[in-house]
Amino acid sequence: MAAFWKGRHRWKRTCIRILTRNLTGKYDYDLVVIGGGSGGLACSKEAAQLGQKVAVLDYVEPSLKGTKWGLGGTCVNVGCIPKKLMHQAALLGTAVKDAKKYGWQISEPVSHDWATMADAVQNHVRSLNWGHRVQLQDKKVKYLNIRGSLLDEHTIKGLTKAGKEMILTAKNIVIATGGRPKYPTNIPGAVEHGITSDDIFWLKESPGKTLVVGASYVALECAGFLTGIGLDTRVMVRNIALRGFDQQMAGLVTDYMEAYGTKFSWKCIPKKVDKLSSGAMQVTWTDMQTGKEEKDTFDTVLWAVGRAPETKALGLDKVGVQLNKETGKIIVGADESTSVPNIYAFGDISEGRPELTPTAIKSGKLLARRLAGKSPELMNYNNVATTVFTPVEYGCVGLSEEEAESRHGKDAIEVYHAFYKPLEFTVAERDASQCYIKVVCERGGDQKILGLHFTGPNAGEVIQGFAMGFQCGATFSHLLETVGIHPTCAEELTKLNITKRSGLDATVTGC
């Protein structure tokens, strides 16, 4: 009975608080952001700098394997940052091999120690977690390590790890909770015996012989650095690689990876995962091309079969926030507004938005400025550049060749291209067959550039510079008028002169 009255009293107190707020029009905060990833942090800090009273709620549910991390979201903890550092570890392994041709005397055998790398990467990530907390404090943003769910368009229920409830009210609420990796639900043993990208970067010991299931950029990036540090790695692909990216470029990436040492099982579907008495994982799959059933054993099975938005625990249905029933993402307007006034959403959780950290950061800052009444500017989601950090990096901005054909017609576009050899590959005698540049343009008029694609060293650094040209309406003439920096890979973009339509050999020769 005492528990009943205690619960009733809490309910009554909560209702009185919400009622009082409705009558007075006063709120605890001008803005509450649910989600402490890159976008949510950027939005909250920007709003605070503009004079808003802001709180950010962040609580990380441990992965199914028990992996947990601190403030900063996917990018900092289990995404871009640890991925790029482990990619760098793999590149250094290749550089060691190249070094011998350049005269460096390196004693054999050269080996890689996972624990040393993992410890260094994880320590850096922890330093970023701490840095984010300090920044929030410096900018007067209230950080609450609690789960948040919606009670109405101005009210959030917070729940601490210990189960203590608190109620917060805000003039505006922003949802920026992102997404988490999915496990397949129809494969016995997948959940029990597999891991995801939420776990791979926090392993204390080497994953050993690894099967990566999936062919997204996450799958290929992980498989690439695992191969690069010397692990036996296989990628299982149901259909195509890098769906949504230019498919010629995707083919170059996977061709390079196969030559690099990554094994691929194309057109294959896993059926079950069994853990053997030895501790190894026995994976059974079907080869759709032959119809045969095959088996192999692995130390680790990494599922990279897509991501799901973190919407289920937010209470969105209670307040009427509209979702896309197929994807589970929140439907938003151009101004990041949801179907409920005063509730906004952006980043990976929003339908139709690029799942990219810089996009979330930029859109979060612009949203904060609009909510503070400082600017009407909307986020421009067109021509956002990105890079896939595979062994041969692939950077792109704008339309793929397939998209350009679909929108404009094959006869209305011109594709300039070139196979080139990075200077650093020459002395090292490395194969440059997959180092390639493609610029997709309108065929008529000034030949406005529609898409730019690059595979090769430092693709992200190359594409970042050219991406600005897209915002200025760059044409093919502008590209040719640009004087290149010699001798760089990026310079090759300014020397393009052969079209696909011509059928001429596009291999660059000479200096």
Side-chain angles (χ1 to χ4, degrees):
M1 181 64 73
F4 169 77
W5 283 107
K6 185 178 180 181
R8 183 179 176 185
H9 178 65
R10 183 189 301 129
W11 174 84
K12 188 176 181 181
R13 185 174 61 214
T14 298
C15 288
I16 290 173
R17 183 171 183 179
I18 295 173
L19 180 61
T20 302
R21 179 260 301 162
N22 286 335
L23 291 174
T24 63
K26 294 181 179 179
Y27 305 98
D28 299 327
Y29 296 94
D30 296 307
L31 177 67
V32 170
V33 179
I34 305 177
S38 301
L41 293 174
C43 181
S44 62
K45 289 185 288 187
E46 185 74 12
Q49 285 187 298
L50 295 173
Q52 301 275 286
K53 186 179 180 183
V54 185
V56 58
L57 279 55
D58 187 63
Y59 185 90
V60 180
E61 288 288 349
S63 75
L64 293 178
K65 298 302 170 185
T67 307
K68 53 187 176 181
W69 51 86
L71 182 65
T74 296
C75 174
V76 166
N77 296 282
V78 288
C80 320
I81 299 301
K83 175 273 302 287
K84 180 76 181 293
L85 291 172
M86 291 190 179
H87 171 62
Q88 175 65 12
L91 293 180
L92 288 172
T94 301
V96 168
K97 296 174 185 176
D98 290 353
K100 297 176 185 177
K101 295 285 180 65
Y102 279 95
W104 286 96
Q105 302 300 305
I106 299 172
S107 58
E108 299 285 357
V110 175
S111 61
H112 180 268
D113 181 65
W114 175 277
T116 300
M117 175 190 70
D119 190 51
V121 170
Q122 291 160 17
N123 283 340
H124 177 66
V125 170
R126 290 189 186 98
S127 74
L128 296 177
N129 297 150
W130 177 251
H132 282 307
R133 295 187 68 161
V134 170
Q135 285 180 20
L136 291 179
Q137 187 174 10
D138 289 346
K139 296 183 185 299
K140 306 296 189 292
V141 176
K142 180 68 173 178
Y143 164 55
L144 297 168
N145 183 212
I146 59 175
R147 300 181 184 93
S149 59
L150 303 177
L151 295 181
D152 63 36
E153 69 271 22
H154 293 291
T155 313
I156 297 165
K157 180 177 76 173
L159 191 66
T160 68
K161 185 178 180 180
K164 183 180 179 181
E165 287 186 11
M166 65 173 65
I167 300 295
L168 297 87
T169 61
K171 180 180 179 182
N172 292 302
I173 297 170
V174 169
I175 302 169
T177 48
R180 297 288 286 268
K182 294 190 293 188
Y183 278 91
T185 57
N186 59 341
I187 300 173
V191 175
E192 298 90 335
H193 308 310
I195 66 172
T196 69
S197 58
D198 274 0
D199 308 295
I200 186 72
F201 304 109
W202 290 90
L203 296 179
K204 296 298 184 183
E205 298 179 356
S206 171
K209 181 181 178 183
T210 303
L211 172 67
V212 179
V213 183
S216 63
Y217 73 91
V218 174
L220 297 188
E221 287 176 338
C222 289
F225 72 69
L226 291 173
T227 302
I229 61 174
L231 300 180
D232 185 346
T233 309
R234 178 176 296 275
V235 178
M236 187 169 291
V237 187
R238 176 191 293 265
N239 196 350
I240 62 173
L242 296 179
R243 185 181 301 279
F245 288 87
D246 187 286
Q247 284 302 290
Q248 181 190 8
M249 308 306 291
L252 293 171
V253 168
T254 54
D255 285 350
Y256 187 95
M257 289 182 68
E258 288 191 283
Y260 188 66
T262 306
K263 303 178 181 72
F264 281 81
S265 292
W266 295 96
K267 307 290 183 184
C268 291
I269 301 177
K271 290 182 64 177
K272 63 177 180 176
V273 182
D274 297 303
K275 190 169 186 176
L276 305 179
S277 57
S278 64
M281 311 300 167
Q282 179 176 271
V283 181
T284 305
W285 69 88
T286 301
D287 186 324
M288 292 189 290
Q289 297 176 99
T290 65
K292 293 182 179 179
E293 187 177 280
E294 298 184 24
K295 296 180 180 180
D296 198 359
T297 57
F298 302 89
D299 298 308
T300 300
V301 178
L302 173 63
W303 299 101
V305 292
R307 297 177 65 83
E310 284 281 87
T311 55
K312 292 182 180 178
L314 293 172
L316 301 179
D317 54 331
K318 296 177 183 177
V319 297
V321 173
Q322 189 177 359
L323 304 178
N324 180 310
K325 293 181 180 179
E326 291 185 10
T327 65
K329 293 189 174 188
I330 298 173
I331 296 174
V332 294
D335 61 351
E336 324 303 348
S337 60
T338 70
S339 55
V340 177
N342 308 107
I343 298 178
Y344 299 81
F346 70 94
D348 293 8
I349 202 170
S350 301
E351 182 62 36
R353 303 303 195 220
E355 295 185 2
L356 298 169
T357 297
T359 311
I361 291 172
K362 178 77 171 177
S363 57
K365 287 181 177 180
L366 291 176
L367 174 58
R369 292 169 194 167
R370 291 196 301 274
L371 294 179
K374 301 298 183 180
S375 169
E377 184 182 356
L378 299 175
M379 176 66 185
N380 177 10
Y381 288 101
N382 295 319
N383 298 324
V384 175
T386 190
T387 290
V388 183
F389 291 98
T390 36
V392 62
E393 296 177 4
Y394 165 36
C396 59
V397 60
L399 303 181
S400 66
E401 187 173 349
E402 294 91 344
E403 288 173 321
E405 282 188 12
S406 175
R407 294 190 191 186
H408 300 273
K410 190 169 185 177
D411 292 335
I413 65 171
E414 196 74 87
V415 179
Y416 294 87
H417 66 150
F419 286 93
Y420 69 100
K421 188 161 190 172
L423 183 62
E424 50 267 49
F425 280 27
T426 54
V427 171
E429 298 178 320
R430 285 172 61 183
D431 182 18
S433 302
Q434 286 79 38
C435 292
Y436 178 71
I437 296 165
K438 173 163 65 175
V439 177
V440 183
C441 307
E442 291 179 352
R443 194 176 181 190
D446 294 332
Q447 292 195 294
K448 181 181 178 181
I449 299 175
L450 304 172
L452 193 153
H453 304 265
F454 175 99
T455 50
N458 305 302
E461 311 298 340
V462 172
I463 291 296
Q464 182 67 82
F466 286 101
M468 189 177 75
F470 268 72
Q471 304 306 320
C472 304
T475 65
F476 187 66
S477 295
H478 288 139
L479 198 60
L480 296 186
E481 290 167 6
T482 302
V483 178
I485 300 171
H486 189 68
T488 64
C489 297
E491 177 193 21
E492 300 299 335
L493 280 156
T494 68
K495 295 160 55 179
L496 292 175
N497 62 86
I498 294 174
T499 66
K500 273 193 173 184
R501 193 184 306 276
S502 71
L504 298 174
D505 183 5
T507 304
V508 175
T509 57
C511 182

